[in-house]
Amino acid sequence: MNRAVLYWRAASFAVAAGFVGLWQLIADQRLVSPVFLPGPDRAWASLVRGFASGDLLDKLLGTLEHMAYGWFVASIAGIALGAMIGSSRTMRSYVAPSLEFLRPLPVSAVIPVAIAMFGLTQSMALFVIAFGAIWPMLLATIHGFAAVEPRLYEVARSLHMSRLAIIFKIALPSASPDILAGMRLSVTVALILSVVCEILAGLDGLGHWVLLSARAFRSADLFAGVILLGVIGYLTALAMSVVEKRLLKWRSSGH
Amino acid sequence: MIAAVNQRANGPGAGRAQIAFSGVTLNLGGKAILENISLDVKPGEFLCIIGASGCGKTTALRLAAGLYQPTSGTVAFDGKPMLAPRRDIAIVFQDYGKALLPWRTAFGNVSLALEASGMAASQRAARIDELLKKVGLPNHAGKYPAEMSGGMQQRLQIARCLAQEPKALLMDEPFGALDAMTRQGLQDEVLSLVRASDATVVFVTHDLEEAIYLGDRVIGLLPHPGRIGIELKIDLPRPRDQLTTRENPEFLRLRRELFDFIKASEA
Ligand SMILES: Nc1ncnc2c1ncn2[C@@H]1O[C@H](COP(=O)(O)OP(=O)(O)OP(=O)(O)O)[C@@H](O)[C@H]1O
Ligand SMILES: [Mg+2]
């Protein structure tokens, strides 16, 4: 099994290296004008330069901050609301139709509303990111809480467990696989919306950096920004799956 | 010793019923599931309930647990009406896979009952080890239910129930899903656990031999609506033995009687 893992690691690394090589080749052959497509060498140089001057680090931290705040607010609100709605059948039947109406609404439709309400501010970004990122978590949490094995509630009743104990010892852990899956999805949503908000509102972050670089035809800087965004997306998803594996150890074990 | 065990049901306090159904009728979804059931279970008694599938055995047990309230009539425990589940009545569910917390180890699952009783964290570990040992799982404290066999999971559920220090143990076809060998082993374990704890037991099964082997008394339910159709006192000597008890002529006679009852009830 370990050998297979190693093999796949090596294979995927080789593919990635192949892409970079191909990219370098295309750039060197000038198949695409260097005004639009820098080679990986130039993108890398720009990355190094950006970090050396501190500019790029500021932008990176800006994006991470937008993403983290929005995701954090969405997580708290999504899990709390989802727990409330999911654990009560009456709540579910009252609220479900409204959710069905709101859920397919593209977040882009909410952005003008948010701009009208908050202006081109950090609050607008926070609102939009949280609004977009809350859905996967809200729906997953509702589902998780609604799907708790009723037998376990009977066990809880015959043990006279308190309401709080039932939530934290039974409902929440039972719903945790759903909740974590929702959280993983919404990290990505939060990243995308952070970039969109930075572009729209000119907030400090990689989105803004990418926009300015594109306008000034600084293609190396543009690619440096895009690469960083990719790295954020990759690392956050990786971190989430590590956390998931850790917390859900009980699921993978056994038959 | 044997005589003492045998007399347990008639010992001190025998006059008063611990679990008392009087004229209990239960309707669910507009249909009578159980009708006019009157039944006294004495402290320390081992009562078995048998009956065809769907006749209302589980429903009767849930009434005794306080998970259902009767439509009419009363269910009382120690002379007081049962209005809600009680901590000193433990229930072993048939579907052990659903009744255990899959995210907790064996240790954690037993701990749940002790946490609910408010036992200090410092005292729990020793008690849990003791309970796991009692049900034959001393080396599996760190395992998750998914890593355990059906028999082990059912043992674990029993350990959690014993952690409640129940006055009454209600068991709903606890060994129904297990193979014959595991089943017989667990029957003997339950008998010795119960003997040590003095708990009253109501044991639902569709296995007639199991009912006779375990019980002081066997009650058979008739279906649609569920009502008591037969009541047999089991005077087989204790401790019971998988070989000699099952070969006892009285055992065979009782088995025949129950078999005829079930046949007639299904006809
Ligand atoms: N919540 C409910 N609403 C309506 N009918 C129910 C409900 N629960 C059980 N019943 C019906 O009551 C009857 C008795 O059910 P119960 O589960 O007590 O039977 P049982 O004797 O335990 O059967 P089995 O041996 O199959 O476990 C069945 O006909 C069942 O369909
Ligand atoms: Mg049943």
Side-chain angles (χ1 to χ4, degrees):
Chain A
M1 196 206 130
N2 254 339
R3 274 183 65 162
V5 169
L6 258 155
Y7 172 77
W8 284 113
R9 286 265 160 79
S12 56
F13 185 77
V15 170
F19 269 119
V20 174
L22 189 68
W23 174 14
Q24 185 74 63
L25 198 73
I26 292 172
D28 286 349
Q29 299 297 314
R30 305 204 158 226
L31 294 175
V32 179
S33 157
V35 179
F36 302 117
L37 184 75
D41 49 347
R42 280 176 54 213
W44 177 254
S46 164
L47 260 179
V48 173
R49 205 173 342 106
F51 273 106
S53 71
D55 276 359
L56 208 47
L57 184 67
D58 284 348
K59 307 290 176 189
L60 174 67
L61 290 179
T63 296
L64 284 176
E65 192 181 312
H66 295 144
M67 198 180 149
Y69 280 147
W71 184 67
F72 185 71
V73 169
S75 298
I76 299 289
I79 294 171
L81 278 174
M84 244 164 60
I85 298 167
S87 54
S88 143
R89 188 181 305 241
T90 13
M91 271 293 261
R92 280 208 302 280
S93 54
Y94 280 127
V95 179
S98 318
L99 289 184
E100 286 311 310
F101 173 76
L102 282 171
R103 184 176 58 105
L105 210 61
V107 189
S108 41
V110 174
I111 293 178
V113 179
I115 292 178
M117 276 179 5
F118 299 104
L120 293 172
T121 58
Q122 298 278 1
S123 318
M124 182 281 289
L126 185 64
F127 178 83
V128 170
I129 298 165
F131 184 86
I134 199 172
W135 295 105
M137 265 171 306
L138 182 62
L139 297 173
T141 308
I142 291 175
H143 177 261
F145 269 74
V148 176
E149 172 56 49
R151 190 70 77 240
L152 293 180
Y153 285 136
E154 290 176 357
V155 170
R157 277 178 70 197
S158 74
L159 290 174
H160 284 203
M161 284 169 66
S162 68
R163 231 189 120 64
L164 214 61
I166 292 176
I167 291 176
F168 282 101
K169 291 178 182 174
I170 292 183
L172 211 49
S174 167
S176 61
D178 290 304
I179 294 174
L180 286 168
M183 289 175 90
R184 179 159 39 79
L185 287 178
S186 52
V187 162
T188 314
V189 176
L191 174 60
I192 294 168
L193 290 176
S194 298
V195 173
V196 169
C197 287
E198 286 159 11
I199 289 178
L200 281 177
L203 302 173
D204 231 13
L206 288 172
H208 193 51
W209 164 280
V210 166
L211 180 72
L212 292 185
S213 306
R215 280 193 184 149
F217 296 102
R218 294 195 315 261
S219 63
D221 289 351
L222 168 65
F223 271 71
V226 170
I227 289 170
L228 271 184
L229 286 172
V231 168
I232 297 179
Y234 178 74
L235 288 184
T236 47
L238 190 72
M240 278 306 294
S241 65
V242 167
V243 169
E244 249 182 288
K245 220 170 244 163
R246 259 279 162 96
L247 289 178
L248 303 181
K249 208 173 61 189
W250 52 272
R251 270 181 122 205
S252 51
S253 55
H255 355 275
Chain B
M1 167 71 193
I2 294 169
V5 171
N6 209 13
Q7 290 303 308
R8 210 161 45 109
N10 310 318
R16 215 183 69 231
Q18 182 161 58
I19 302 170
F21 280 55
S22 35
V24 170
T25 294
L26 179 73
N27 301 338
L28 287 176
K31 210 176 70 179
I33 308 294
L34 293 175
E35 194 172 73
N36 194 23
I37 296 209
S38 292
L39 171 67
D40 282 354
V41 190
K42 297 190 181 71
E45 185 177 359
F46 200 124
L47 174 78
C48 293
I49 300 179
I50 57 142
S53 186
C55 71
K57 303 182 294 294
T58 297
T59 309
L61 210 63
R62 295 169 68 84
L63 277 163
L67 290 169
Y68 282 156
Q69 287 300 314
T71 309
S72 65
T74 55
V75 177
F77 189 86
D78 278 345
K80 288 186 280 294
M82 281 279 290
L83 300 174
R86 298 168 52 117
R87 215 159 14 207
D88 54 6
I89 301 182
I91 178 158
V92 178
F93 295 98
Q94 169 168 14
D95 36 11
Y96 43 77
K98 293 180 178 172
L100 295 167
L101 306 184
W103 53 88
R104 285 197 180 205
T105 59
F107 186 93
N109 268 284
V110 178
S111 177
L112 186 77
L114 299 178
E115 290 161 29
S117 74
M119 181 186 269
S122 55
Q123 294 170 356
R124 273 181 233 145
R127 179 81 181 119
I128 294 167
D129 287 340
E130 186 188 333
L131 286 161
L132 286 175
K133 200 165 151 202
K134 216 180 229 179
V135 298
L137 295 174
N139 300 319
H140 304 282
K143 284 204 176 137
Y144 290 99
E147 298 172 300
M148 307 171 89
S149 70
M152 287 161 76
Q153 292 185 49
Q154 199 52 294
R155 284 195 170 97
L156 179 55
Q157 210 194 156
I158 292 171
R160 184 181 65 201
C161 284
L162 294 178
Q164 291 176 248
E165 296 186 8
K167 285 190 189 164
L169 189 57
L170 311 177
M171 307 178 93
D172 188 6
E173 305 199 32
F175 312 140
L178 305 176
D179 64 273
M181 285 310 284
T182 312
R183 207 178 163 114
Q184 296 200 347
L186 280 170
Q187 288 167 356
D188 290 330
E189 281 175 40
V190 160
L191 282 180
S192 69
L193 286 172
V194 165
R195 194 182 316 165
S197 79
D198 260 356
T200 309
V201 181
V202 180
F203 190 105
V204 166
T205 175
H206 61 245
D207 179 341
L208 308 183
E209 294 198 19
E210 181 170 73
I212 302 165
Y213 183 75
L214 294 173
D216 295 316
R217 186 157 54 120
V218 176
I219 277 178
L221 295 186
L222 288 167
H224 312 300
R227 61 228 127 93
I228 295 176
I230 193 173
E231 181 176 341
L232 295 178
K233 187 133 181 50
I234 313 294
D235 276 325
L236 295 166
R238 289 187 188 266
R240 305 231 166 120
D241 177 271
Q242 291 290 353
L243 289 177
T244 55
T245 301
R246 286 173 193 268
E247 283 165 356
N248 189 315
E250 172 70 357
F251 184 95
L252 299 174
R253 190 189 64 75
L254 289 163
R255 189 180 71 168
R256 182 63 201 239
E257 197 167 341
L258 282 182
F259 186 81
D260 289 342
F261 164 76
I262 291 287
K263 264 240 124 149
S265 84
E266 279 173 344

